[in-house]
Amino acid sequence: MKRSALCLCVFILSVSTAVYAGKDKSTAKIKFGDVKPEDFSNKVYSIDSSANAVVLADIGSTEFEGNTKGDFSLIFKRHKRIHLINKNAFDLATIEVLLYIQNYSYEEKLEGLEAVTYNIENGQVVATKLDKESIFKDKYDKNHMIKKFTFPNLKEGSIIEYKYKIVSPYYENLQPWEFQSNIPHLWSEYTVTIPQLFDYVLDKQNYLPFEIDTVSTSRESYNILDPSTSASGSSRTLNIQSNTVTAKWAMKDVPALKEESYITSLDNYVQRVGFQLRRIKYSDTYTKDVMGNWYQACERMMKAEYFGEPLTHGNNWLDDDLEKATAGTTNNLEKAQKIYAYIRDNFTCKTNNGKYLSSTLKKVHQDKSGTVADLNLLLVAAFKTQGFEAFPAMLSTRANGKASESFPLFDKFNYTICRVKVDDSYYMLDASNPKLGFGKLPLKVYNGTARVIDPSYPILVDLSADSLVEKKLTTVFISADGNKKLQGSFASNLGYFASLKLRENGGIGNGDDYLKELKKQYNMEVELSNASADSIKVLEMPTALRYEMKFDFNDEDVVYFNPLFGEAQKDNPFKSAERYYPVEMPYCTDETYVFNMEIPEGYKVEELPKSARVKLNEDDGMFEYLIGAAGNRIQLRCRLQIKKALFEPEDYQTLRDFYAYVVSKEAEQIVFKKNDGNAKN
């Protein structure tokens, strides 16, 4: 790739420094090779007593310099020191550096690599340097290679240290920085110095406070050699004076990033900064827009052969199949449903994700299989051939992390679905799952928003977890016969996603295996029978599970009985004492349990749980447990309602205490006792 030389001119400060405003503290001082015996003394660190390793320091910087190709290069430097406390951390001693290569004349280069292992022997620090012959080069893909090495002479308690420099001609890809990983960091620091002709969008993600968050401005001189393009063979050197912005961030005592319950992707919460090149200001009057806006980006995508361009063709080879699929339909909605069902039921999805075409639409149709994107773009084409307004929509799944809503950064997306207009209504569709109903989407795509790739109207569609409410209603009726036996019926109307899971697992089969597993949830001897599931094949509807039960009190004098059976919340999902990032539930919840029981002859209620109603914050949720006994009957209504899916870290303790109360309350039991005249002597 050959880029024209930058113009020699005076550049005006254009990047606002306000976004960098913050604390101003001195940086950490660490010198390569300056490892002392006392550095080995810690076997346990207060930041994490269970850590197998601790990053003592990780310091990086990026600056620009002129190159000999008439342009700028990025100079990225890194210096990292890690204490390997035990052998479980030895995998950290293998380092991989990914380098981008477009061709041999335009590639990233690794320079100045030094790596040393330090050990204590007889009270002295002994250094073992990495042999340069132990650095290996592997091809990663057609545009990347990996430089890889492993530290020598590893022992439990070793300290390893390395530094290197990457020279890159790709200033579009200014190095991001992560202050956090799966082991604790005592100090992590990053500094960037950017000439003002480059305008980057800053992606700053932090839930922990910065120890350093500062900015300064200066002025730098850059020498750029513009190689000859003339017959005379002469070249020229440009000296460019530019204002610069230097931003520095640092974090101290950063905890390890660990999996927690109710989180979409840890990638959303890594403490980090990243950059996207928005524009280059060659002069006061000439600016090159690199990123563009959503209208421009969607227009490019709809012209791309690997995405939208095939949708502009007639695609009349679909007509015969679609005519058969929609035969007999009497309205547009029914026709749209039939088109969707045709793609969903007759094509096999080969992947879990996908945003671009992997083949031609015609080949996908012939093979009757393809990626997520293949099938959903084929669905868009099918709708278009039948006169519907339809466009692709792109999103990032939960496991993939958040995608930008403000800037057209397509590398953040990993999933393409279909949006179709039927009469006056719009429907979001995914044809990759044979168990999904029309207008339904898999749970994994509810990760914020989806972007409709429509050049004239590239709107965002809400796909937040807050937009989902998973409702469940369970009713249990227990009656007693004259022989002190108890029999009852259980019916549970599931929410849509519980229903989808049941469908994906094949339903309940003949019911026997299902009941066998279900019986394990009961803490007493019970006979279960006649299991059934309604609406399993009606994919747009939730399912209803039903079965019958029989049990007795075995003539015991005292019986402890939990009226919620296996429906009780048994464990608090929030076990950690503290949490640094939000709780992301998959959806809002509204579960109701209704219980009606006839007390068997010869028994009375000795002890009944107390009714209770508690709120989660002001209006974020509610739990009620309403129970009463009258005559020979006991009635219970238990309801758990969570009205939002996202809880910030400051709400964690309240949420944890709320669920602890729910677990405790739902574990309470009714105590039955034989009437005095019936008790055993």
Side-chain angles (χ1 to χ4, degrees):
M1 183 172 69
K2 177 69 172 70
R3 292 180 287 201
S4 59
L6 297 172
C7 299
L8 178 62
C9 55
V10 177
F11 300 104
I12 298 174
L13 186 66
S14 59
V15 177
S16 170
T17 60
V19 296
Y20 301 100
K23 304 173 185 176
D24 185 6
K25 299 183 180 180
S26 59
T27 187
K29 303 296 183 184
I30 177 172
K31 182 179 179 182
F32 191 85
D34 186 18
V35 177
K36 300 178 177 63
E38 54 265 32
D39 295 333
F40 295 83
S41 59
N42 280 339
K43 306 300 181 186
V44 175
Y45 287 81
S46 60
I47 186 175
D48 188 344
S49 60
S50 64
N52 298 316
V54 171
V55 175
L56 303 177
D58 191 9
I59 300 173
S61 66
T62 295
E63 58 186 12
F64 287 67
E65 72 173 24
N67 60 32
T68 60
K69 293 180 172 61
D71 213 332
F72 281 91
S73 291
L74 291 176
I75 309 299
F76 172 72
K77 297 178 181 178
R78 187 170 204 166
H79 174 196
K80 191 170 186 178
R81 185 181 293 175
I82 309 173
H83 189 183
L84 307 179
I85 299 171
N86 57 52
K87 62 183 179 180
N88 293 325
F90 282 4
D91 60 329
L92 298 172
T94 296
I95 308 299
E96 295 183 351
V97 182
L98 188 67
L99 301 172
Y100 186 81
I101 299 174
Q102 191 173 68
N103 54 55
Y104 290 110
S105 62
Y106 226 71
E107 62 181 25
E108 291 183 333
K109 295 182 179 179
L110 181 67
E111 298 179 355
L113 173 62
E114 293 185 50
V116 183
T117 304
Y118 304 98
N119 291 297
I120 285 286
E121 295 182 11
N122 299 320
Q124 300 295 315
V125 178
V126 176
T128 306
K129 293 184 178 181
L130 176 73
D131 186 345
K132 302 293 185 181
E133 300 299 320
S134 299
I135 303 172
F136 301 97
K137 181 170 69 173
D138 290 324
K139 184 177 180 181
Y140 182 76
D141 58 31
K142 66 178 183 179
N143 289 123
H144 292 89
M145 60 171 276
I146 290 177
K147 290 286 184 75
K148 182 178 179 180
F149 63 90
T150 300
F151 283 86
N153 196 25
L154 291 177
K155 300 178 182 179
E156 290 195 332
S158 294
I159 290 177
I160 59 175
E161 182 177 42
Y162 63 94
K163 67 177 182 178
Y164 60 79
K165 177 171 71 174
I166 295 177
V167 180
S168 173
Y170 303 105
Y171 49 71
E172 299 92 339
N173 302 321
L174 198 159
Q175 285 274 4
W177 187 263
E178 294 187 352
F179 300 88
Q180 191 176 29
S181 70
N182 60 353
I183 62 173
H185 287 56
L186 300 188
W187 186 263
S188 183
E189 175 187 315
Y190 191 45
T191 306
V192 294
T193 300
I194 304 173
Q196 291 301 293
L197 68 158
F198 295 103
D199 182 1
Y200 288 88
V201 173
L202 173 64
D203 177 16
K204 190 176 178 183
Q205 180 171 287
N206 67 294
Y207 279 85
L208 301 174
F210 285 107
E211 187 73 11
I212 297 174
D213 187 357
T214 63
V215 66
S216 61
T217 58
S218 184
R219 191 166 180 81
E220 300 289 340
S221 177
Y222 299 93
N223 291 318
I224 296 177
L225 180 64
D226 186 18
S228 169
T229 57
S230 65
S232 64
S234 62
S235 59
R236 60 174 180 160
T237 299
L238 304 177
N239 180 262
I240 296 180
Q241 304 290 321
S242 176
N243 292 330
T244 61
V245 169
T246 297
K248 179 181 289 185
W249 302 275
M251 284 189 171
K252 181 181 180 181
D253 295 336
V254 186
L257 193 67
K258 297 180 179 179
E259 287 287 351
E260 296 272 7
S261 58
Y262 292 116
I263 190 166
T264 54
S265 170
L266 280 176
D267 187 60
N268 288 338
Y269 303 108
V270 176
Q271 316 302 302
R272 68 181 174 205
V273 291
F275 311 87
Q276 293 289 337
L277 183 60
R278 177 159 47 189
R279 63 177 66 92
I280 304 173
K281 300 180 180 180
Y282 290 98
S283 70
D284 292 345
T285 58
Y286 174 44
T287 298
K288 178 183 178 182
D289 193 351
V290 176
M291 182 182 294
N293 57 43
W294 276 110
Y295 290 91
Q296 296 165 334
C298 288
E299 185 175 4
R300 290 196 303 269
M301 286 298 296
M302 291 306 289
K303 292 179 179 178
E305 291 183 1
Y306 54 83
F307 190 77
E309 191 272 339
L311 302 176
T312 64
H313 301 171
N315 297 319
N316 294 327
W317 39 267
L318 280 166
D319 288 350
D320 289 345
D321 287 342
L322 294 177
E323 185 177 346
K324 293 176 184 177
T326 59
T329 56
T330 58
N331 57 63
N332 286 334
L333 180 57
E334 187 181 358
K335 185 176 183 180
Q337 291 171 331
K338 293 289 187 180
I339 293 170
Y340 170 71
Y342 165 70
I343 302 295
R344 180 196 63 197
D345 298 341
N346 292 282
F347 292 79
T348 301
C349 185
K350 302 184 296 185
T351 63
N352 294 321
N353 300 311
K355 60 181 176 180
Y356 300 135
L357 284 171
S358 68
S359 182
T360 65
L361 289 180
K362 197 166 188 178
K363 184 74 162 53
V364 173
H365 182 256
Q366 291 171 346
D367 293 345
K368 292 294 186 288
S369 68
T371 66
V372 167
D374 292 337
L375 300 193
N376 285 323
L377 288 169
L378 182 63
L379 179 61
V380 174
F383 279 126
K384 283 182 173 292
T385 65
Q386 297 300 300
F388 288 92
E389 177 188 311
F391 285 94
M394 297 181 78
L395 56 89
S396 175
T397 59
R398 293 184 173 191
N400 193 57
K402 296 288 186 182
S404 173
E405 295 182 358
S406 303
F407 303 104
L409 308 176
F410 286 101
D411 61 330
K412 299 292 186 180
F413 294 117
N414 72 326
Y415 208 92
T416 293
I417 58 176
C418 167
R419 184 176 189 253
V420 63
K421 183 180 182 182
V422 183
D423 297 327
D424 294 327
S425 299
Y426 290 91
Y427 297 88
M428 304 293 279
L429 304 173
D430 182 358
S432 68
N433 187 330
K435 302 301 181 182
L436 281 173
F438 183 84
K440 305 295 184 181
L441 296 173
L443 191 58
K444 65 181 179 180
V445 308
Y446 286 90
N447 190 36
T449 56
R451 176 69 67 172
V452 179
I453 311 302
D454 177 358
S456 62
Y457 195 39
I459 67 166
L460 287 170
V461 178
D462 181 21
L463 291 181
S464 64
D466 280 337
S467 68
L468 301 175
V469 180
E470 182 81 339
K471 291 187 176 183
K472 180 181 179 181
L473 172 62
T474 301
T475 56
V476 176
F477 291 92
I478 306 293
S479 60
D481 63 21
N483 296 318
K484 300 181 183 179
K485 301 290 185 181
L486 293 159
Q487 58 188 14
S489 62
F490 176 100
S492 186
N493 297 312
L494 303 181
Y496 187 80
F497 293 104
S499 301
L500 176 60
K501 184 177 180 180
L502 183 66
R503 291 182 176 111
E504 291 175 336
N505 291 336
I508 63 171
N510 62 12
D512 293 341
D513 291 337
Y514 169 74
L515 291 177
K516 187 181 296 184
E517 287 299 312
L518 190 64
K519 193 173 180 180
K520 296 177 182 178
Q521 299 180 18
Y522 286 77
N523 58 359
M524 63 181 189
E525 284 297 319
V526 60
E527 179 185 334
L528 306 179
S529 61
N530 297 329
S532 65
D534 298 341
S535 303
I536 284 288
K537 295 183 179 181
V538 185
L539 302 185
E540 286 74 26
M541 297 292 293
T543 61
L545 293 174
R546 306 178 193 281
Y547 59 87
E548 295 175 359
M549 63 178 75
K550 290 183 180 180
F551 60 94
D552 61 45
F553 285 175
N554 295 317
D555 206 31
E556 296 287 340
D557 288 343
V558 179
V559 176
Y560 295 90
F561 182 84
N562 188 328
L564 275 88
F565 296 113
E567 296 295 300
Q569 178 95 23
K570 295 181 176 59
D571 297 302
N572 189 339
F574 308 109
K575 295 180 169 46
S576 300
E578 57 184 352
R579 184 161 173 147
Y580 297 105
Y581 29 83
V583 171
E584 297 175 290
M585 294 187 176
Y587 37 66
C588 303
T589 300
D590 191 353
E591 297 181 351
T592 302
Y593 180 88
V594 177
F595 174 83
N596 194 312
M597 178 181 181
E598 182 181 0
I599 301 171
E601 185 179 347
Y603 283 89
K604 65 179 180 179
V605 176
E606 179 72 10
E607 187 175 329
L608 197 67
K610 293 181 179 180
S611 294
R613 182 185 284 113
V614 295
K615 284 187 175 182
L616 174 59
N617 296 326
E618 286 299 316
D619 195 35
D620 291 340
M622 178 272 294
F623 172 70
E624 64 178 11
Y625 186 102
L626 307 178
I627 191 168
N632 70 334
R633 304 206 71 84
I634 297 173
Q635 291 183 322
L636 166 68
R637 186 176 188 273
C638 185
R639 186 182 187 191
L640 175 64
Q641 190 177 34
I642 304 296
K643 296 184 179 180
K644 70 176 189 178
L646 178 67
F647 291 85
E648 297 297 338
E650 55 266 27
D651 289 326
Y652 175 71
Q653 192 58 54
T654 302
L655 186 65
R656 184 174 183 238
D657 292 344
F658 176 81
Y659 268 87
Y661 181 83
V662 171
V663 170
S664 175
K665 191 66 183 174
E666 292 191 349
E668 292 182 0
Q669 301 185 80
I670 302 171
V671 180
F672 291 100
K673 187 176 181 181
K674 274 190 175 182
N675 293 323
D676 292 339
N678 295 315
K680 296 177 182 177
N681 295 323

